[in-house]
Amino acid sequence: MKNKTLRNDLIILGILVVLIGGLFLFKSKQQGAKIVIKRNDQIEGYYSLDDDRIINIDNENIIQIKNHEAFMIKATCPDHLCIKQRKINKKGATIVCLPHHLVVEVIEGNEGKEDGKVY
C-alpha cells in the first residue's frame, strides 16, 4: 500500500513539473511581442517579433528580427558594442547604441498602438 501511494505521488509530481515547464516555455516566447526603435528620443517605429525582417536605420545601424528575436547585425559606430549585445525577445530587454543615440526595446503586443507606426 505504501509503495502504491509513493508511486502515485511521484506520477502526480512528474505531471506537475511537466505542466509548469510547458507554461514557462509558452510564456517565454511572448507571441505578439514587438520592438520599438527610438532614436534621439523619437520613435522610429514598432516592429513585430513574429515577422522575420531586416530593418535599416539611416544606413548606420541594421537590426534583424529572426526566430522571434531581435539583434543588431551592422553598425557604423567605432566600438560595435551594440552588435556584441545579446539577442532580445523578452519585455523590457534592450539593445543600445550610444554613438547613434539608438535604443531598441521589446514591448508587449498591445503597447504602441496609439501612433499607428506598426510595421
Side-chain angles (χ1 to χ4, degrees), residues 50-95:
D50 294 335
D51 303 321
D52 292 352
R53 64 172 32 166
I54 294 179
I55 305 160
N56 190 341
I57 309 293
D58 293 336
N59 292 322
E60 291 181 344
N61 296 84
I62 298 178
I63 301 162
Q64 182 171 12
I65 298 174
K66 186 174 182 182
N67 298 327
H68 304 283
E69 297 178 316
F71 51 99
M72 192 79 66
I73 59 174
K74 183 181 175 203
T76 60
C77 54
D79 55 11
H80 298 283
L81 291 177
C82 53
I83 295 173
K84 296 173 187 172
Q85 294 180 35
R86 64 190 165 125
K87 297 176 181 180
I88 58 173
N89 66 354
K90 291 184 174 46
K91 181 181 178 190
T94 59
I95 297 173

Side-chain angles (χ1 to χ4, degrees), residues 27-40:
K27 179 72 173 162
S28 68
K29 292 250 183 200
Q30 284 194 3
Q31 294 284 359
K34 297 180 207 164
I35 58 170
V36 59
I37 300 174
K38 296 178 187 175
R39 185 169 188 173
N40 295 321

